[in-house]
Amino acid sequence: MHQAAPDHPIMACRIGCGACCIAPSISSPLPGMPDGKPAGVRCVNLSNDNRCQIFGKPERPAVCSSFQPDPDICGHSTHEALQLITLLERATNPK
């Protein structure tokens, strides 16, 4: 469970953001994306209003289920979240 420091409150996911379903690469197979998802590519399971269509379902990959929103990663807007997650993706890409 995500524990927050007193000066770092737990963040609720912004409904309709979808940045975590677009910016990062996902190496696990996903429904409709058996080879995973490249960074910057919209997950096929993300609806037009940026909601995960497999949220809470057993076929949702563990990496997706374990993601916890955090102000340091998600920022204060969807635009900022896309930028921050993209920067993290680039910084951690071994290529």
Side-chain angles (χ1 to χ4, degrees), residues 6-95:
D7 61 335
H8 198 76
I10 294 175
M11 178 180 185
C13 189
R14 281 189 295 275
I15 303 298
C17 174
C20 61
C21 303
I22 299 168
S25 60
I26 299 175
S27 58
S28 304
L30 297 129
M33 300 181 103
D35 297 323
K37 185 194 86 59
V41 172
R42 185 179 180 84
C43 178
V44 299
N45 298 290
L46 193 61
S47 68
N48 289 337
D49 63 350
N50 290 338
R51 293 177 180 236
C52 177
Q53 297 178 91
I54 57 173
F55 186 86
K57 295 184 178 178
E59 59 269 24
R60 186 173 183 221
V63 68
C64 298
S65 298
S66 66
F67 178 80
Q68 295 293 311
D70 185 280
D72 292 339
I73 297 171
C74 303
H76 299 288
S77 67
T78 298
H79 179 73
E80 192 174 354
L82 285 166
Q83 290 178 323
L84 291 169
I85 296 171
T86 298
L87 287 172
L88 286 169
E89 176 69 29
R90 288 179 185 156
T92 58
N93 188 336
K95 294 179 185 178

